[in-house]
Amino acid sequence: MDWTTVRELSERLGVPERTLRRWIELHGPFIGAKKEGRRLLIPIESVEALREIRDLYAEGMTAQDVTDRLRNVGMPMTIAVSLTALWRRA
């Protein structure tokens, strides 16, 4: 999987880095970002989701409206699973 940084996406999408970080916090399952040291990395496959999020906010939608719309259109979600938590249960 190829990854990109918040800075690169900010330039690519024309959105401030702080705004992208907020969207990642609010809509994380649709983006699938991961921390690597101090850097926040976003899979290239999530660029389309971020474009959709940008456009929905531009239409005046609230955060909840955006989440609902992403769910309704079947936008893929990433779910993090802790293997250590699963191992403890076994």
Side-chain angles (χ1 to χ4, degrees), residues 17-55:
E17 288 182 42
R18 181 68 193 119
T19 300
L20 284 173
R21 290 178 186 281
R22 186 174 64 249
W23 293 348
I24 291 166
E25 185 177 319
L26 291 170
H27 311 292
F30 298 103
I31 300 166
K34 70 175 183 177
K35 291 281 279 184
E36 190 172 274
R38 293 184 63 198
R39 294 177 0 148
L40 187 60
L41 300 175
I42 297 97
I44 293 295
E45 293 82 11
S46 294
V47 172
E48 189 56 39
L50 285 163
R51 277 193 186 108
E52 181 73 14
I53 290 167
R54 177 195 62 196
D55 295 346

Side-chain angles (χ1 to χ4, degrees), residues 69-87:
R69 175 71 66 90
L70 295 173
R71 278 190 188 123
N72 290 339
V73 299
M75 187 69 67
M77 295 177 75
T78 301
I79 299 171
V81 176
S82 169
L83 294 178
T84 54
L86 291 174
W87 182 258

